[in-house]
Amino acid sequence: MDKISDCPQATTNFNVYTQSKEMNILHYTGMPYTTKYGGIEKWFVEFGKIAQNKNHNVYLAYTETVPDIPEIVNDYKQSNIEVIIIPEKDNNQLLSVIDKYKIDIFISHFPEPYTIPLFVAKNTKCKVFSFFHCYNYYSQLSWIKNFK
């Protein structure tokens, strides 16, 4: 699944929450950087194209450095995705970014464990989504078994 349209639930949820006005959307990857143009990067580009057609602004946060792979950088720019850095475990910086860019929707990827999405939900007015892209990895963690 490289495209949002390949996942009907994600498409439906995005359409429901973004149909009424221009929105500012922050994808928090939890990743320090990207090393390749993989599935998640293609998904971000597809998401950015859909959001751009709806006049939404998309921000993509890494924790250490912006991508330096020319194809990714170019595709992010063409999809109107602004890449920003939010240092890991710097909750003040995270809140500052949410405030500065007036974020309406916060989407976390690879949350470890649920601390960032819960923190954002409790401390902002953002609508929060969390995507688990590596379910096999997360199903092995002890905390997830106790979270059901």
Side-chain angles (χ1 to χ4, degrees):
M1 273 195 300
D2 286 343
K3 295 185 176 183
I4 291 176
S5 56
D6 292 339
C7 183
Q9 185 175 0
T11 304
T12 301
N13 287 342
F14 180 70
N15 287 335
V16 166
Y17 289 106
T18 63
Q19 58 186 305
S20 61
K21 65 172 187 157
E22 291 181 15
M23 302 192 97
N24 296 315
I25 303 163
L26 174 61
H27 286 277
Y28 182 84
T29 66
M31 301 185 306
Y33 48 83
T34 187
T35 59
K36 62 182 176 156
Y37 201 159
I40 188 71
E41 290 78 16
K42 292 174 186 173
W43 191 90
F44 288 140
V45 168
E46 182 72 17
F47 187 99
K49 289 176 183 176
I50 293 170
Q52 187 176 31
N53 288 337
K54 295 174 176 271
N55 295 317
H56 301 315
N57 299 306
V58 177
Y59 305 92
L60 176 57
Y62 290 99
T63 62
E64 287 183 16
T65 186
V66 297
D68 62 356
I69 301 166
E71 187 179 7
I72 294 175
V73 172
N74 185 48
D75 285 354
Y76 283 173
K77 284 181 182 176
Q78 287 184 354
S79 298
N80 202 33
I81 296 172
E82 183 176 339
V83 179
I84 56 178
I85 301 300
I86 302 174
E88 187 176 15
K89 299 180 183 175
D90 189 342
N91 292 341
N92 290 330
Q93 178 70 17
L94 176 59
L95 291 178
S96 176
V97 166
I98 289 171
D99 186 51
K100 176 182 177 181
Y101 294 101
K102 298 177 180 18
I103 300 300
D104 300 297
I105 297 177
F106 178 89
I107 304 173
S108 70
H109 301 266
F110 312 107
E112 188 65 56
Y114 279 95
T115 56
I116 296 297
L118 285 176
F119 175 80
V120 171
K122 287 183 177 187
N123 293 287
T124 72
K125 294 180 181 180
C126 296
K127 179 68 180 171
V128 177
F129 293 93
S130 288
F131 292 149
F132 288 85
H133 300 274
C134 301
Y135 184 74
N136 289 338
Y137 168 74
Y138 286 103
S139 66
Q140 303 304 314
L141 297 176
S142 61
W143 61 265
I144 201 166
K145 294 174 183 150
N146 299 326
F147 207 76
K148 295 177 182 176

